[in-house]
Amino acid sequence: MKNDELIRAQVHASIDKGLAHIEERPSLRYEIMQKAKGEPKVKRKISVALVCAVVMMVVLCSAALATGLKLFDHFSEIKMDDQPWDAERLLKLNDNAVTIGKTFHLTLPVFDAKGDTDRDKLAASLGGREFDLTVDDVYCDGRKLYYTYTLAYGENQVFTGEGKPTGIDKWDMEWTGEEWENIASFGHSEFWDEEDAWFKAQTGPGWFASQSIALGDGLDLADGTELRIWDSWLEQDVDEHIWKSYYEVALPEGYEAGESVDIVMTVMYGVTLNYVDDTGVYWARIAPEENRGFLRVPLTVPVTGSAAQLAGESKQSAYSAEAEVFVSDVDVSGVAIVHGPADWKKAYDYDSEEEGGNYIRDFLLVADGETLTDIWGGLRGAGEDGAYEIELRYNLPESTESLALRPVYRDGTIPEDEDIVLK
């Protein structure tokens, strides 16, 4: 049976279609939110993991201890072929992570149907469902938190009906004038076998609904602070009813080795309802009114690592630049700010139709003779004066005794006399 990967597939496909000119990574959701608040635009190269789901909240049920193997090594093997740079970092995480192995057994309260409508009955069907959420492994250096989890659930029930479902006052999504096979599955028909077969056999209006379960995207702190997502990966076994995932999220400043971080994970459950008639395709998420289908699961994790902060600057005749990086047990990451001439801004400004000059597009990390390529390399306009930021991330070098950033220009030039020495 299906679960919330159906909705994830829909959202993935919509984003892929609308943002086909860029690659994507999970933190794009955060970037979109920042842009909506009026913050600067970003031009970046990104790799797909998870870019969907909503961050949600609610109530802890019960917890029990469990044991398990580290999952970072598992995900490293998955990404070794097409994203070896990520696979290398995940191997470091596997060596440094702490096995938590804590399982939260979640049992949904029984909800009485509020009425006799289809919506009421679908919401009431969720009562008594059980899920097991296991936090497997955690690594925290005080600046970032990495974790893996496993979500196990029972088979999702399926419901169908003729005509329009009753009790639906407003649809969450509408595709008027469209047919199911053209819109609802968004080219991911392999996830919709049962729906496809059911709607194909329909001679008139009808609806198909199935129960769903998912984990909210990323984490919150106990005080409600949403943590920025830097990386993630999701593995789904629909037949076995298991989700496995890892996440990397940023923490506010102030956490030191030996301390702990109070976090909150959020489980979302409900029923996904698809309705098709001669006017179009319609979709709604249904959950009990009592908690809107959100379970809030708190957890305390240890800070077992640390990240050394380094900084440096370079002043040249054409530009100046400063950088700040953090060296952890698993990688080197940070940001460089470049103050260049006006024509450089045209090269990375979405609003500009001009080609722009030969600007600095990235930095290599030079570590005691070893040269590493920036995994991120995203550009973000940082000010009206034409300054811009370059996001930096490198796999951990063999030695971190001597580190410097070497600029890479748009035309491929890599001058050795313009290094930012990091101290």
Side-chain angles (χ1 to χ4, degrees), residues 25 143-144 230 322-326 331-337 361-365 373-378 389-394 405 420 422:
R25 81 164 170 243
R143 180 173 173 264
K144 288 185 179 178
W230 280 114
E322 63 263 11
E324 180 183 60
V325 303
F326 294 84
D331 68 2
V332 178
S333 61
V335 64
I337 300 178
R361 63 174 177 80
D362 211 342
F363 285 90
L364 300 176
L365 178 67
T373 302
D374 186 5
I375 296 172
W376 283 344
E389 295 180 355
I390 299 179
E391 293 177 341
L392 308 172
R393 181 180 212 156
Y394 310 91
L405 297 174
I420 300 177
L422 300 169

Side-chain angles (χ1 to χ4, degrees), residues 191-207:
F191 293 122
W192 300 86
D193 292 340
E194 291 177 287
E195 284 90 338
D196 287 344
W198 195 84
F199 284 121
K200 185 176 182 179
Q202 280 296 107
T203 57
W207 55 269

Side-chain angles (χ1 to χ4, degrees), residues 18-51:
L19 303 176
H21 61 291
I22 64 173
E23 295 176 60
E24 204 167 351
R25 81 164 170 243
S27 59
L28 182 59
R29 181 184 64 82
Y30 179 92
E31 303 293 354
I32 292 173
M33 292 296 292
Q34 299 308 100
K35 293 188 190 74
K37 297 175 183 177
E39 297 195 4
K41 290 173 281 188
V42 178
K43 179 183 282 188
R44 59 172 69 256
K45 54 183 182 185
I46 316 175
S47 58
V48 164
L50 283 180
V51 190

